[in-house]
Amino acid sequence: MTDAPREPSKSLPKPLSGPQKALRKLGLERAIDLALHLPLRYEDETRLQRLSEVRAGEVAQIEGVVTHCEVKISGHRQLLVTLDDGTDTCLLRFFTFYPSSQKALAVGQRIRARGEIKDGFNGLTMMHPAFHPAGGELAVALTPVYPTVAGLPQAYLRRAVQGGLSRAELSDTVPLNNLYEIWLQPTWNLREALLFLHNPTPDVALVTLQDHSHPAWQRLKAEELLAQQLSQLQAKRARARLRAPVLALGALHEGLLAALPFQLTPAQRRVSSEIAHDLARPVPMHRLLQGDVGSGKTVVAALAAAICIDAGWQCALMAPTEILATQHFAKLVSWLEPLGIKTAWLTGSQKARERREMLALIASGEAGLVIGTHAVIQDKVVFKNLALAIIDEQHRFGVAQRLALRSKLTAPTVHDEPVEGAAASTSSARTVEVEPHLLMMTATPIPRTLAMSYYADLDVSTIDELPPGRTPIITKVVNEARRDEVIARICAQLEAGRQIYWVCPLIEESEALDLSNATETHAQLSAALPGVMVGLLHSRMAVAEKKAVMSLFTAGQMGLLVSTTVIEVGVDVPNASLMVIEHAERFGLSQLHQLRGRVGRGAAASACVLLYSTGDAPRLSETARARLKAMAESNDGFEIARRDLEIRGPGEFLGARQSGAAMLRFADLALDGALLAWARRLAPLMLDQHPALAEKHVLRWLGGKAEFLKA
Ligand code: ADP
Ligand code: MG
């Protein structure tokens, strides 16, 4: 019996059906995920309407007798059915149908139909209504309509959600006493709230479901915010249990300060000491340094690097583009090399031989500082003892890149630590694992409400003033029709010995178009400005070419640089005093602000011209106008970010930052401040007093997504 043929396919999983795949795509795998998939809106199938009373545009449910049924073959083949409910008639039209539909809709049949009423040439009409034989019970609850995707029919999804709802474990996780704090009366627990929202009774005020003010919605929003706060607090506390090298302030820090060609601003001094304080603790730092473009974040990073290297450890500084990394390299080398610090350099475009040399410098520990693009986190790079990772313009790295960064840069290194008080003998050292400190820098500040919710696990340092002597940038919004005046202005600036950026938009649908746009503008401006060196920079140029162009501009030989948005981040040429942005209406607000930040870096008065074109339309769209207006009215990155959030809402705002933060699905930070405050108060108490409930709550709400919250 033992040699009976085995069933070969037993261990193979059954292939998923189309709708099952679609469910997975929506992230609806667990019963609880289905239960938390809430309706977008509802349909009322709890009553029948009279045809004499329905209005065009309304979704109605009617019942009547078929008085006419024919397949029309001339023109588009269709099934035409007339339904009479005694008050009026309605024409039902079907472009796809089966013989069975014809039978079900034969003259004399009583049927119930449901669909949107149109009032047209043929009187009242429904296109492709849902129908079945008349009679039968009317629904007792409103029928939910769920957000869905192609290949996942509502009916299938409805059944799946109801199934999930009945299977899901929905016991309360929020300690009851803390609920009273907001609702003062014991209403709606999670189970009740979900059952209601999936099947509300028809007497509910629909508007309270739509605007999420209904107590059932309040409960869900509060739970969601609590999950968000808990998971971030968990991450923060988990980090606090890790060990990091203690990097105490040394002489190098002082040496660098003394060697700088300027004095730190009070804000730079404050954030530097916040960072120094973190570095001196045996716990990994996890800090975001935000400061407007030009506020001087680089020197703060250099000071942190100096502390780290002085303590005998390595520091890595990463930038999202090669141009920016090159600049950092030049600047930091000029500051730190005279103080005896060796710096290694890593990018994707590097020659193999140079790369090998750099890798050797890094592995031996000879290079205290490593600067580069994301080449820094490639597998081949082995640090001797990395203690501080600095990520510049961190919002420019994609989600996946950021997770990779995090896991590579914060991988623990083994380190022999002398035991205090013992003599320097081999037996007095113990091996410990330490994680590097992490400093992220960004010029796109996070508005306060978002910082409190999405980034609650970060420590934030803010540089809130610019170095002295800068004159504010004057921003002008100018119609494309006045391009000639702008060119005249360029001439004047060039004569004064200034340099100019001219930025062309990135047209995402077509890189080729994008390019021709920049090259055309380049040709046009070259022709208009004889005797001026006009450069061109775009993302498809070879790295060496880009570098060559950039260094001519940096050295002041090139008067005008036409560029796509590759210069958006961090580029620092203080002599540039005019920025022209073509098709400014196509750019996002924070991008415009970043671009504008390329000027106003020296003492000369700087200006930014936002050229816009309405194309074929009579005027700009409302949001484009709002963006340009915000730019003209404010130079302050925080104000710009606030307006950006207002114009776009948190979903898009965070999306553009590529944060990867699990989005709040239900809560609205603009409206639910009180619930957020409640969640922020409760989260630490709950972790301390009810850790098991907290764990359960996070798992229920975030499932596998909690990891992304930390990105
Ligand atoms: P960002 O914050 O945008 O990265 P940078 O670090 O590139 O700004 O600094 C912008 C410019 O300001 C640089 O040329 C830098 O050397 C200069 N700078 C930074 N701090 C000061 C200061 N305290 N006083 C004068 N100039 C400064
Ligand atoms: Mg910078």
Side-chain angles (χ1 to χ4, degrees):
M1 282 298 151
T2 49
D3 51 18
R6 284 201 221 138
E7 287 177 56
S9 63
K10 202 150 192 186
S11 60
L12 286 177
K14 255 202 333 210
L16 293 177
S17 69
Q20 280 170 327
K21 277 190 205 146
L23 280 181
R24 180 166 288 189
K25 198 161 124 198
L26 282 176
L28 303 179
E29 298 196 47
R30 306 172 305 165
I32 185 68
D33 298 329
L34 285 159
L36 291 174
H37 191 64
L38 291 179
L40 275 180
R41 58 187 176 83
Y42 301 90
E43 286 176 353
D44 190 352
E45 290 178 318
T46 63
R47 63 197 175 103
L48 293 172
Q49 277 141 290
R50 280 184 235 261
L51 281 171
S52 58
E53 287 164 9
V54 297
R55 282 185 313 263
E58 153 181 50
V59 175
Q61 178 160 256
I62 55 176
E63 209 170 275
V65 183
V66 176
T67 56
H68 183 84
C69 177
E70 70 162 304
V71 176
K72 185 176 150 238
I73 25 197
S74 65
H76 204 85
R77 193 178 122 90
Q78 53 188 292
L79 177 65
L80 298 175
V81 175
T82 307
L83 196 67
D84 186 335
D85 79 343
T87 68
D88 201 346
T89 62
C90 182
L91 177 67
L92 316 183
R93 296 168 69 143
F94 300 87
F95 290 106
T96 49
F97 53 93
Y98 303 98
S100 60
S101 344
Q102 263 167 281
K103 214 159 128 198
L105 293 165
V107 172
Q109 295 291 344
R110 274 191 71 80
I111 64 157
R112 185 179 291 172
R114 195 190 142 69
E116 188 183 331
I117 297 282
K118 297 212 163 52
D119 199 357
F121 183 68
N122 296 311
L124 298 177
T125 307
M126 280 183 183
M127 310 287 281
H128 278 275
F131 68 90
H132 54 84
E137 309 239 326
L138 286 166
V140 288
L142 297 178
T143 308
V145 179
Y146 294 103
T148 187
V149 290
L152 182 57
Q154 264 313 312
Y156 185 96
L157 182 53
R158 247 172 230 154
R159 275 196 309 277
V161 169
Q162 292 297 340
L165 196 53
S166 60
R167 287 194 314 277
E169 196 279 306
L170 293 174
S171 61
D172 259 354
T173 42
V174 183
L176 203 57
N177 282 340
N178 295 297
L179 268 180
Y180 284 90
E181 233 190 281
I182 29 175
W183 292 307
L184 302 175
Q185 64 205 16
T187 60
W188 307 93
N189 62 30
L190 179 67
R191 168 185 294 282
E192 287 162 350
L194 284 175
L195 287 175
F196 180 82
L197 291 174
H198 285 292
N199 309 287
T201 48
D203 58 353
V204 67
L206 268 179
V207 62
T208 63
L209 297 185
Q210 258 133 38
D211 69 11
H212 295 187
S213 64
H214 191 279
W217 269 114
Q218 294 286 320
R219 169 76 196 220
L220 282 174
K221 292 194 286 189
E223 291 224 353
E224 179 181 44
L225 287 164
L226 181 60
Q228 189 193 42
Q229 292 299 320
L230 282 172
S231 85
Q232 298 196 39
L233 203 57
Q234 278 175 335
K236 193 167 185 168
R237 291 191 178 182
R239 257 199 323 274
R241 285 192 290 272
L242 301 174
R243 297 213 35 184
V246 172
L247 308 174
L249 209 60
L252 192 58
H253 183 265
E254 272 309 309
L256 176 55
L257 274 179
L260 286 175
F262 47 74
Q263 296 259 306
L264 293 191
T265 62
Q268 283 171 319
R269 240 176 294 151
R270 174 172 43 75
V271 299
S272 274
S273 71
E274 282 164 7
I275 293 166
H277 178 259
D278 280 0
L279 294 179
R281 295 179 57 221
V283 176
M285 170 170 77
H286 191 68
R287 189 170 281 278
L288 180 72
L289 172 59
Q290 53 179 18
D292 209 346
V293 277
S295 61
K297 295 182 289 295
T298 316
V299 66
V300 174
L303 286 165
I307 296 177
C308 167
I309 299 162
D310 213 11
W313 294 77
Q314 285 174 304
C315 170
L317 170 61
M318 296 201 11
T321 66
E322 184 134 2
I323 289 183
L324 192 52
T326 311
Q327 268 195 57
H328 282 328
F329 184 70
K331 187 158 254 173
L332 270 73
V333 164
S334 79
W335 284 338
L336 294 171
E337 207 122 276
L339 303 173
I341 292 170
K342 185 127 193 85
T343 305
W345 162 244
L346 282 177
T347 72
S349 68
Q350 208 157 29
K351 296 247 159 49
R353 206 178 119 232
E354 188 188 356
R355 186 174 184 76
R356 267 199 308 278
E357 285 169 14
M358 292 298 167
L359 289 177
L361 282 180
I362 298 167
S364 70
E366 201 180 325
L369 180 59
V370 182
I371 297 179
T373 58
H374 52 264
V376 171
I377 52 161
Q378 275 158 13
D379 289 338
K380 295 214 182 72
V381 185
V382 180
F383 291 92
K384 175 163 177 267
N385 60 355
L386 182 69
L388 171 62
I390 305 176
I391 306 175
D392 194 17
E393 306 291 352
Q394 66 104 32
H395 63 284
R396 294 294 308 258
F397 288 96
V399 177
Q401 264 176 337
R402 240 146 75 197
L403 285 176
L405 265 177
R406 194 70 60 88
S407 62
K408 169 86 187 181
L409 290 180
T410 60
T413 41
V414 173
H415 152 64
D416 289 333
E417 185 182 69
V419 172
E420 238 170 82
S425 73
T426 41
S427 62
S428 66
R430 64 180 166 176
T431 303
V432 291
E433 283 203 334
V434 288
E435 312 234 351
H437 298 279
L438 185 62
L439 176 65
M440 293 162 280
M441 308 202 286
T442 181
T444 307
I446 307 167
R448 210 178 112 75
T449 43
L450 293 192
M452 284 195 326
S453 59
Y454 288 98
Y455 297 92
D457 70 324
L458 273 186
D459 293 312
V460 179
S461 288
T462 304
I463 306 184
D464 52 7
E465 66 185 326
L466 295 179
R470 304 256 169 101
T471 43
I473 304 164
I474 311 266
T475 300
K476 287 257 155 59
V477 180
V478 176
N479 193 312
E480 162 72 28
R482 291 166 55 199
R483 200 180 174 98
D484 288 346
E485 290 170 42
V486 175
I487 293 176
R489 182 156 185 181
I490 287 179
C491 289
Q493 287 290 310
L494 286 169
E495 262 160 40
R498 301 280 161 216
Q499 290 168 279
I500 293 127
Y501 294 103
W502 184 298
V503 177
C504 299
L506 188 77
I507 299 166
E508 301 219 337
E509 309 87 78
S510 158
E511 257 190 73
L513 213 63
D514 174 25
L515 193 61
S516 83
N517 191 11
T519 38
E520 248 169 56
T521 302
H522 176 250
Q524 189 207 16
L525 291 172
S526 304
L529 301 165
V532 177
M533 192 194 285
V534 181
L536 175 62
L537 195 66
H538 58 76
S539 53
R540 290 206 298 188
M541 281 162 54
V543 171
E545 267 182 279
K546 277 194 227 172
K547 263 194 200 152
V549 171
M550 231 19 244
S551 63
L552 282 172
F553 192 69
T554 311
Q557 283 164 275
M558 183 180 283
L560 175 60
L561 179 59
V562 176
S563 156
T564 56
T565 50
V566 288
I567 60 147
E568 180 192 340
V569 289
V571 174
D572 184 30
V573 180
N575 190 46
S577 62
L578 177 60
M579 160 74 58
V580 181
I581 304 176
E582 193 171 330
H583 281 298
E585 78 282 357
R586 294 188 193 162
F587 290 89
L589 194 45
S590 72
Q591 206 181 11
L592 286 173
H593 182 65
Q594 290 261 331
L595 283 168
R596 175 170 61 181
R598 297 309 111 223
V599 294
R601 298 186 156 238
S606 291
C608 173
V609 174
L610 302 174
L611 270 181
Y612 71 91
S613 149
T614 60
D616 299 330
R619 65 166 72 95
L620 287 176
S621 73
E622 188 120 345
T623 51
R625 269 214 308 279
R627 288 197 298 266
L628 298 182
K629 185 162 180 279
M631 284 292 290
E633 287 174 359
S634 178
N635 260 320
D636 172 0
F638 284 87
E639 174 63 15
I640 296 279
R642 200 188 58 72
R643 296 243 202 144
D644 199 20
L645 179 62
E646 208 173 83
I647 295 170
R648 294 195 294 164
E652 274 200 53
F653 184 90
L654 287 170
R657 295 177 56 89
Q658 294 185 295
S659 74
M663 295 304 303
L664 289 170
R665 288 183 286 165
F666 307 137
D668 177 348
L669 293 176
L671 301 173
D672 297 321
L675 295 180
L676 176 61
W678 169 80
R680 284 173 65 82
R681 272 203 311 278
L682 180 54
L685 298 179
M686 193 163 158
L687 273 187
D688 291 339
Q689 293 164 21
H690 308 276
L693 283 180
E695 190 78 36
K696 189 169 158 189
H697 187 84
V698 170
L699 197 63
R700 172 182 282 173
W701 273 90
L702 298 173
K705 298 192 200 94
E707 186 53 35
F708 267 114
L709 271 177
K710 295 175 219 148

Coordinates of all heavy atoms in Angstrom, one line a residue, residues 262-265 268 291-299 328 331 335 392-393 443 463 467-468 470 570 572 574 598 601, ligand 1:
F262 N 32.1 81.8 8.6 CA 30.9 82.5 9.2 C 30.6 82.1 10.6 O 31.1 81.0 11.0 CB 29.7 82.4 8.3 CG 29.4 81.0 7.9 CD1 28.8 80.1 8.8 CD2 29.6 80.5 6.6 CE1 28.5 78.8 8.5 CE2 29.3 79.2 6.2 CZ 28.8 78.4 7.2
Q263 N 29.8 82.8 11.3 CA 29.3 82.4 12.6 C 28.0 81.7 12.5 O 27.2 82.0 11.6 CB 29.0 83.7 13.4 CG 30.1 84.6 13.7 CD 30.6 84.4 15.2 OE1 29.8 84.5 16.1 NE2 31.8 84.0 15.3
L264 N 27.8 80.7 13.3 CA 26.5 80.0 13.2 C 25.4 81.0 13.6 O 25.6 81.8 14.5 CB 26.5 78.8 14.2 CG 27.4 77.6 13.9 CD1 27.0 76.4 14.8 CD2 27.3 77.2 12.4
T265 N 24.2 80.8 13.0 CA 23.0 81.5 13.5 C 22.6 80.9 14.8 O 22.9 79.7 15.1 CB 21.9 81.4 12.5 OG1 21.5 80.1 12.4 CG2 22.3 82.0 11.1
Q268 N 21.0 77.6 14.2 CA 21.9 76.5 13.9 C 22.6 76.1 15.2 O 22.8 74.9 15.3 CB 23.0 77.0 12.9 CG 22.5 77.1 11.5 CD 23.5 77.8 10.6 OE1 24.1 78.8 11.0 NE2 23.7 77.3 9.4
G291 N 14.7 72.6 7.9 CA 15.0 74.0 7.8 C 14.8 74.4 6.4 O 15.1 73.6 5.4
D292 N 14.4 75.6 6.2 CA 14.0 76.1 4.9 C 15.2 76.0 4.0 O 16.4 75.9 4.4 CB 13.6 77.5 5.0 CG 12.6 77.9 3.9 OD1 12.5 77.1 2.9 OD2 11.9 78.9 4.1
V293 N 15.0 76.0 2.7 CA 16.1 76.0 1.7 C 17.0 77.2 2.0 O 16.5 78.3 2.3 CB 15.6 76.1 0.3 CG1 15.2 74.8 -0.3 CG2 14.5 77.1 0.1
G294 N 18.3 77.0 2.1 CA 19.3 78.0 2.4 C 19.5 78.4 3.8 O 20.2 79.3 4.2
S295 N 18.8 77.6 4.7 CA 18.9 77.9 6.1 C 20.2 77.4 6.7 O 20.6 77.7 7.9 CB 17.7 77.3 6.9 OG 17.7 75.9 6.8
G296 N 21.0 76.6 6.0 CA 22.3 76.2 6.4 C 22.3 74.9 7.2 O 22.9 74.8 8.3
K297 N 21.7 73.9 6.6 CA 21.7 72.6 7.2 C 23.0 71.8 7.0 O 23.4 71.0 7.9 CB 20.5 71.7 6.6 CG 19.2 72.3 6.9 CD 18.0 71.4 6.4 CE 17.9 71.4 4.9 NZ 17.6 72.7 4.3
T298 N 23.7 72.1 5.9 CA 24.9 71.4 5.6 C 26.0 71.5 6.7 O 26.6 70.5 7.1 CB 25.5 71.9 4.3 OG1 24.5 72.0 3.3 CG2 26.6 70.9 3.8
V299 N 26.1 72.7 7.2 CA 27.2 72.9 8.2 C 26.8 72.2 9.5 O 27.6 71.7 10.3 CB 27.4 74.4 8.5 CG1 26.3 75.2 9.1 CG2 28.7 74.6 9.3
H328 N 28.3 68.5 -1.8 CA 28.6 68.3 -0.4 C 30.1 67.8 -0.2 O 30.7 68.2 0.7 CB 27.7 67.1 0.1 CG 26.3 67.6 0.5 ND1 26.1 68.8 0.9 CD2 25.2 66.9 0.4 CE1 24.8 68.9 1.1 NE2 24.2 67.8 0.8
K331 N 32.3 70.8 -0.5 CA 32.2 71.7 0.7 C 32.8 71.1 1.9 O 33.6 71.7 2.6 CB 30.8 72.1 0.9 CG 30.6 73.1 1.9 CD 29.2 73.8 1.8 CE 29.4 75.2 1.2 NZ 28.2 75.9 0.9
W335 N 36.1 72.0 4.3 CA 36.1 72.3 5.7 C 36.9 71.3 6.6 O 37.6 71.7 7.5 CB 34.6 72.3 6.2 CG 33.8 73.5 5.8 CD1 34.2 74.7 5.4 CD2 32.3 73.5 5.7 NE1 33.2 75.5 5.2 CE2 32.0 74.8 5.3 CE3 31.3 72.6 6.0 CZ2 30.7 75.2 5.2 CZ3 30.0 73.0 5.8 CH2 29.7 74.3 5.4
D392 N 20.5 63.5 3.5 CA 20.1 64.9 3.1 C 18.9 64.8 2.2 O 18.8 63.8 1.4 CB 21.3 65.6 2.4 CG 21.0 67.1 2.3 OD1 20.1 67.6 3.0 OD2 21.7 67.7 1.4
E393 N 18.0 65.8 2.2 CA 16.8 65.8 1.4 C 16.1 64.5 1.4 O 15.8 63.9 0.4 CB 17.2 66.2 0.0 CG 18.0 67.5 -0.2 CD 17.2 68.7 0.2 OE1 16.0 68.7 0.4 OE2 17.9 69.8 0.3
A443 N 14.2 70.0 3.5 CA 13.8 71.4 3.4 C 12.3 71.5 3.2 O 11.8 72.6 3.0 CB 14.5 72.1 2.2
I463 N 15.4 74.6 12.0 CA 16.2 75.8 11.9 C 15.2 76.8 11.3 O 14.6 76.7 10.2 CB 17.3 75.7 10.8 CG1 18.2 74.5 11.2 CG2 18.1 77.0 10.7 CD1 19.4 74.4 10.3
P467 N 20.6 82.6 7.5 CA 21.8 83.3 7.9 C 21.6 84.8 7.6 O 20.8 85.2 6.7 CB 22.8 82.7 6.9 CG 22.3 81.4 6.6 CD 20.9 81.5 6.6
P468 N 22.3 85.7 8.3 CA 22.0 87.1 8.2 C 22.5 87.6 6.9 O 23.3 87.0 6.2 CB 22.9 87.7 9.4 CG 23.9 86.7 9.6 CD 23.3 85.3 9.3
R470 N 20.8 88.2 4.2 CA 20.1 87.8 3.0 C 19.0 88.7 2.7 O 18.3 89.1 3.7 CB 19.5 86.4 3.1 CG 20.5 85.3 3.5 CD 20.8 84.5 2.3 NE 22.0 83.6 2.6 CZ 21.9 82.3 2.9 NH1 20.7 81.8 2.9 NH2 22.9 81.6 3.2
G570 N 19.1 71.3 -3.2 CA 20.4 71.6 -2.6 C 21.5 72.4 -3.4 O 22.4 72.8 -2.7
D572 N 24.0 74.9 -4.6 CA 24.4 76.1 -3.9 C 25.4 76.9 -4.7 O 26.5 76.6 -4.7 CB 24.9 75.7 -2.5 CG 25.2 76.9 -1.7 OD1 24.5 77.9 -1.8 OD2 26.2 76.8 -0.9
P574 N 26.0 80.8 -4.7 CA 25.6 82.1 -4.1 C 25.5 83.2 -5.0 O 24.7 84.2 -4.8 CB 26.6 82.3 -3.0 CG 27.2 81.0 -2.7 CD 27.2 80.2 -3.9
R598 N 17.2 78.1 -4.8 CA 18.5 78.1 -5.4 C 19.1 79.5 -5.5 O 20.2 79.7 -5.7 CB 18.5 77.5 -6.8 CG 18.0 76.1 -7.0 CD 18.8 75.2 -6.1 NE 17.9 74.6 -5.1 CZ 18.1 74.5 -3.8 NH1 19.3 74.9 -3.4 NH2 17.3 74.0 -3.0
R601 N 21.0 83.2 -2.1 CA 22.0 82.5 -1.2 C 23.2 83.4 -0.9 O 24.0 83.1 -0.1 CB 22.4 81.2 -1.8 CG 21.3 80.3 -1.9 CD 21.7 78.9 -2.4 NE 20.6 78.0 -1.9 CZ 20.9 77.0 -1.1 NH1 22.1 76.7 -0.8 NH2 19.9 76.3 -0.7
Ligands
ADP1 P1 20.4 74.2 3.1 O1 19.8 74.3 4.4 O2 19.4 74.6 2.0 O3 21.0 72.9 2.8 P2 23.1 75.2 2.9 O4 23.6 74.4 4.0 O5 23.4 74.8 1.5 O6 21.5 75.4 3.0 O7 23.5 76.7 3.1 C1 23.2 77.7 2.3 C2 24.4 78.7 2.2 O8 24.5 79.5 3.3 C3 25.7 78.1 2.0 O9 26.4 78.8 1.1 C4 26.3 78.1 3.4 O10 27.7 78.1 3.3 C5 25.8 79.4 3.9 N1 25.7 79.5 5.3 C6 25.3 78.5 6.2 N2 25.2 78.9 7.4 C7 25.6 80.2 7.4 C8 25.8 81.2 8.4 N3 25.5 81.0 9.7 N4 26.2 82.4 8.0 C9 26.4 82.7 6.7 N5 26.3 81.8 5.8 C10 25.9 80.6 6.1

